[in-house]
Amino acid sequence: MEKSQLSRGQFLKQLGMSSAALMSFYCLGTTMTACSKDTVEPTPIPPPVISPSGSSGITGAISGTTIDFTIDLTNSNFKDLKAEGQFTYVGDIIIANAKGTFVALSKVCTHVGTTINFRSATNDFRCPNHGSEFRLDGTVQKSPADIALKVFKTETLNNGNSLKITA
């Protein structure tokens, strides 16, 4: 007796599952699992500030190998940053006012590359995707991330009206 070979579609039909049903089951299963069991409370995210150098209150290099820029904290785009608990994004950097101290870190979570947020209530950074948490110095305080964030130097100038960020 000659053996016949079934195609994948024929095999699934014999099982009683269509390709669409199988894909739906697969997709449902992957969206219902995550790396964190924590309940995620939505955090308001300010719009990202991605400005070319020299405009909108930023002067200097905000990207590339040499990060060296200054933010005008009196400019309407950045005046809220003077208030404790506020944060913004400039290029690939998140800048936060952490209880009166300015902190600048890479905004990209080291787990899978999601943009992190600053949490003023806990004075730390959190990835909304899988729940990784980072201290103000960029070190990991909660996995799944296991690599620290890059830290940038901050310096206030002009009686607190400008903020200089350097690598």
Side-chain angles (χ1 to χ4, degrees), residues 18-144:
S18 70
S19 303
L22 187 58
M23 284 306 294
S24 297
F25 179 74
Y26 174 76
C27 292
L28 181 63
T30 59
T31 58
M32 293 182 70
T33 60
C35 297
S36 174
K37 294 180 184 174
D38 295 342
T39 302
V40 177
E41 295 181 23
T43 303
I45 301 172
V49 176
I50 303 174
S51 312
S53 261
S55 67
S56 303
I58 301 173
T59 55
I62 64 171
S63 62
T65 56
T66 306
I67 301 294
D68 186 356
F69 62 93
T70 302
I71 298 172
D72 178 358
L73 296 174
T74 63
N75 182 286
S76 61
N77 290 328
F78 299 104
K79 65 181 180 169
D80 291 344
L81 196 54
K82 284 183 140 186
E84 289 184 14
Q86 296 297 309
F87 69 98
T88 193
Y89 303 102
V90 175
D92 289 331
I93 299 171
I94 184 170
I95 303 162
N97 184 332
K99 297 185 179 177
T101 301
F102 289 105
V103 178
L105 303 170
S106 168
K107 73 175 187 179
V108 180
C109 179
T110 57
H111 179 231
V112 292
T114 304
T115 298
I116 61 170
N117 300 316
F118 177 68
R119 300 187 304 177
S120 61
T122 52
N123 211 35
D124 64 1
F125 297 88
R126 184 174 193 281
C127 176
N129 196 10
H130 294 114
S132 293
E133 295 175 4
F134 302 89
R135 294 177 188 87
L136 298 178
D137 65 359
T139 58
V140 177
Q141 70 183 10
K142 183 179 176 190
S143 61

